Amino acid sequence: MTNQEIIAQADQVIIKTYGRYQVAFVRGQGSTVWDADGKAYTDFLSGLAVTVLGHCHPRVVEAITKQAQTLIHVSNFYHTVPQTEVATFLSEHAFGGKAFFCNSGAEANEAALKLARKYSHDHHGEERSEIITTTNSFHGRTLGTVAATGQEKVRKGFEPTMPGFTYVAYGDLAAMEQAMTEQTCAVLVEPIQGEGGIVVPPAGYLAGLRQMCDQRDVLLMFDEVQTGIGHTGYYFGYQHEGVVPDVMTLAKGLAGGMPIGVMMAKPHIAEALGPGTHGSTFGGNPVSCSAALAVLRTIEDEHLLDHVQEVGAYFLDGLRRLQKKYAFIAEVRGRGLMVAAELDRPGGHMVVKAMERGYLINCTVDRVLRFLPPLLIRRQEVDGLLTTLDAIFA
Ligand code: PLP
C-alpha cells in the first residue's frame, strides 16, 4: 500500500484525535524510518521520547522475541521474572523505590494521584486531598490526568473535571508556597516541562519544592514520563539537581517502544496501596518488561548517558550558532538530548518542511521546535539536521 492508500483507508476508520501528517510509516532501523512510498527520514522525535535506542534495536528485538516465545501474559495474581527484574533495576537506580506497573504515562500518573490521596487519607484524614500542579504542565488524557494538567484546553468540553487540583506558575516557589493549604496532600511537577515547551526550571526550584513538602508531609511527585530513561543525560531528570522525590512516574522510553508505565514510590509511602486498592490487567506485561530490561541494560552497558551529555552539548552548541544567525530564534534550551529552539513566531510549518527534507522533528506550544532524538544519535546526524534547519530558516 502507498502512503495515500493507507491514509485514505485510515480516514474512514480511525477517530481523528490526532492531527496527523500525510505519511504512513512501515519500517524502522536505528535512527531511520521509512514511509510506505520508500522515503527515508532521520528520526529526531523518537515517537516522542519513546524509541530511546532507535528503531528495532537488536537487543530489544531479541528480548521481545525470546519472551514472546516463552511467556506473553499472566495475571498480576502471579509473579514473573521480567517484572521483578525491571522493578529491581529501577529501585536500585531510583531511591530504593517500589514499583506499580501499568501501560502508559497517564496511567502511571493516575496511580500517583490515587497513592497521594490514599497515603494522605491514611495519615492525615480525608479532608487532605488536594494536589498542586503547574500551569502548562502535561500529565495525560484520562479524566484524572486532564484535571492534573495545567492547561484549560485539554479539559474543555469534558467538564465536570475531577475536583481537588490547584495550578501554579512553573518555576515559581513563592506561588507554590502561597497555594499550599491544610488540604494539600501532594505536588506533581515535571522536572522539565516537555509538552509545555522543554521548560527547564530555575536552579534550586526542585530543592525548594522538596523543602516545602518536607515541612508539611506533602508528597513530592515527579512526572518523569518524558524526562526519564536517559533523554536529559541522566536516568531521571531529578538527578540533575540531586533532589529525590517521594513518587516518580515513568513510561515512554522505558521499554523502547513497547507499551509500559510505572510508578515508583518510597517504600513507606507505597504501603498505602495494599491488595485491592489499585491494579492493571496488562501492567508489567512480561514482553514489555523484557524490552524494558534490554533498554536499561543497554543504556548501562554502552555508557549511553555519557554519550547523551556529549552529543546533547554538541547539538545545543549547533542550535546556538543558528540562533546567532537568525534573530527569530528567541531561545535555545534543553538538557542532554531533550532540546528546543523557541521561535518568536509559529513554527508548525517548519516541521512539514523538515519532513520534506527527510527529518522528523516536532513543534509544541505553537512556537517551540522540539527535538528528542534517540540516545544513540551520532554527531554526523546532528550535523545533517543542523544543515537542514539552516536551509529551512534561510
Ligand atoms: N506525562 C508527561 C510529562 C508526558 O509528556 C506525557 C505524554 O506526552 C504523559 C504524561 C502521558 O503519557 P501517555 O501518553 O503515555 O499516557
Side-chain angles (χ1 to χ4, degrees):
M1 284 172 97
T2 63
N3 280 332
Q4 277 322 310
E5 286 166 347
I6 297 167
I7 293 162
Q9 189 174 332
D11 280 348
Q12 303 301 314
V13 292
I14 291 178
I15 297 175
K16 293 196 165 89
T17 55
Y18 285 87
R20 296 183 198 236
Y21 295 101
Q22 293 297 296
V23 64
F25 287 112
V26 292
R27 189 163 65 87
Q29 191 63 57
S31 46
T32 308
V33 273
W34 286 267
D35 72 15
D37 296 345
K39 179 174 170 179
Y41 302 77
T42 308
D43 190 352
F44 271 77
L45 188 58
S46 311
L48 241 157
V50 171
T51 47
V52 287
L53 298 186
H55 295 276
C56 300
H57 188 281
R59 284 181 70 173
V60 175
V61 172
E62 191 193 352
I64 292 170
T65 309
K66 267 196 185 154
Q67 189 59 46
Q69 290 165 339
T70 309
L71 181 70
I72 293 180
H73 175 82
V74 289
S75 164
N76 274 314
F77 292 153
Y78 314 104
H79 296 274
T80 67
V81 175
Q83 192 181 118
T84 309
E85 290 197 352
V86 176
T88 303
F89 187 104
L90 292 175
S91 183
E92 283 169 3
H93 289 76
F95 52 85
K98 286 188 158 184
F100 169 79
F101 283 97
C102 48
N103 313 285
S104 66
E107 284 176 71
N109 285 330
E110 284 284 347
L113 302 177
K114 283 184 72 176
L115 173 59
R117 284 194 170 175
K118 184 69 168 47
Y119 174 83
S120 194
H121 285 188
D122 290 355
H123 291 81
H124 302 281
E126 289 187 11
E127 291 303 302
R128 206 171 177 271
S129 60
E130 290 188 0
I131 296 171
I132 306 177
T133 71
T134 57
T135 47
N136 290 324
S137 56
F138 186 76
H139 299 296
R141 295 287 191 172
T142 60
L143 278 175
T145 56
V146 294
T149 292
Q151 297 181 55
E152 189 83 30
K153 67 171 197 240
V154 308
R155 292 189 291 277
K156 202 165 165 12
F158 299 105
E159 299 89 351
T161 46
M162 192 176 133
F165 290 92
T166 309
Y167 317 102
V168 300
Y170 188 65
D172 186 341
L173 284 172
M176 184 63 79
E177 179 113 57
Q178 221 172 12
M180 282 201 180
T181 68
E182 293 291 302
Q183 278 77 50
T184 307
C185 72
V187 167
L188 173 66
V189 295
E190 297 157 81
I192 295 175
Q193 283 190 335
E195 300 307 296
I198 314 278
V199 183
V200 183
Y205 178 60
L206 301 182
L209 294 181
R210 179 71 278 174
Q211 203 177 9
M212 259 176 233
C213 289
D214 283 344
Q215 284 160 359
R216 300 163 171 88
D217 196 24
V218 163
L219 298 189
L220 180 59
M221 313 201 292
F222 288 160
D223 178 343
E224 294 256 13
V225 167
Q226 198 162 138
T227 47
I229 321 299
H231 252 107
T232 70
Y234 285 82
Y235 275 111
F236 315 112
Y238 74 79
Q239 292 172 314
H240 284 270
E241 300 246 350
V243 175
V244 177
D246 299 307
V247 175
M248 166 176 79
T249 54
L250 298 168
K252 288 191 182 288
L254 178 55
M258 294 292 285
I260 195 165
V262 63
M263 173 188 69
M264 300 297 297
K266 285 182 178 164
H268 72 283
I269 295 165
E271 266 173 32
L273 292 182
T277 54
H278 198 42
S280 165
T281 295
F282 290 116
N285 167 273
V287 182
S288 289
C289 284
S290 293
L293 267 179
V295 167
L296 294 168
R297 287 177 179 158
T298 304
I299 292 175
E300 191 97 331
D301 295 348
E302 298 185 10
H303 309 289
L304 288 185
L305 299 177
D306 296 340
H307 175 77
V308 169
Q309 290 176 20
E310 192 266 313
V311 186
Y314 180 78
F315 192 3
L316 274 176
D317 277 354
L319 285 173
R320 289 200 179 104
R321 276 198 304 281
L322 290 177
Q323 189 188 10
K324 288 205 181 96
K325 200 164 160 188
Y326 300 103
F328 60 82
I329 303 179
E331 194 183 20
V332 167
R333 57 177 180 258
R335 275 190 178 144
L337 286 169
M338 190 174 184
V339 171
E342 177 158 358
L343 312 179
D344 69 1
R345 60 196 66 180
H349 63 293
M350 295 194 184
V351 174
V352 178
K353 286 191 185 303
M355 284 180 74
E356 286 165 8
R357 290 166 157 89
Y359 285 90
L360 299 184
I361 63 169
N362 172 253
C363 179
T364 185
V365 288
D366 193 39
R367 289 180 299 133
V368 178
L369 297 183
R370 175 170 50 165
F371 311 98
L372 290 157
L375 310 186
L376 291 157
I377 201 86
R378 288 165 298 160
R379 276 181 179 225
Q380 58 264 43
E381 290 166 317
V382 171
D383 289 339
L385 176 69
L386 291 169
T387 306
T388 299
L389 289 175
D390 196 354
I392 293 170
F393 292 160

